[in-house]
Amino acid sequence: QVQLVESGGGLVQPGGSLRLSCAFSGSIFRIYHLGWYRQAPGTQRESVANLTKYGVTNYADSVKGRFTISRNNAVNTAYLQMNTLKPEDTAVYYCNCWLGVANYWGQGTQVTVSS
């Protein structure tokens, strides 16, 4: 059974940086496509970034140029580097992986951007 565990969230001041990690277990990591999503209170979960198993990336317009999604297949981990953080980036961030109809989520990690 695939499991995803996020870490790296926390409180950061506007303009600061955080790197989220997503540890994968239970299957062959390199064959899955990856994504990071976020959900702020009272809003729907939205896609932030995704990275296919072929290395193709896609970003939400709101984070382009500030966030970078990456993966290290040797250690079964996905990352989201977040720079120049803004208060509107405050949300619970979720790691996602999928392959065909298989779709898995982590439990989420809170990111709060505030002075």
Side-chain angles (χ1 to χ4, degrees), residues 28-61:
I28 303 172
F29 179 63
R30 59 179 169 80
I31 69 173
Y32 284 84
H33 308 297
L34 301 173
W36 285 94
Y37 290 72
R38 67 186 181 187
Q39 187 169 19
T43 69
Q44 290 189 331
R45 191 173 297 188
E46 64 174 357
S47 175
V48 174
N50 56 71
L51 171 60
T52 73
K53 62 179 181 178
Y54 308 110
V56 179
T57 58
N58 188 50
Y59 296 91
D61 287 343

Side-chain angles (χ1 to χ4, degrees), residues 37-91:
Y37 290 72
R38 67 186 181 187
Q39 187 169 19
T43 69
Q44 290 189 331
R45 191 173 297 188
E46 64 174 357
S47 175
V48 174
N50 56 71
L51 171 60
T52 73
K53 62 179 181 178
Y54 308 110
V56 179
T57 58
N58 188 50
Y59 296 91
D61 287 343
S62 59
V63 307
K64 279 182 182 176
R66 300 189 298 123
F67 290 12
T68 303
I69 186 172
S70 62
R71 67 193 298 164
N72 185 335
N73 291 338
V75 294
N76 294 347
T77 303
Y79 303 97
L80 184 68
Q81 178 67 43
M82 305 186 295
N83 298 327
T84 319
L85 282 160
K86 305 176 181 179
E88 51 263 44
D89 294 319
T90 296

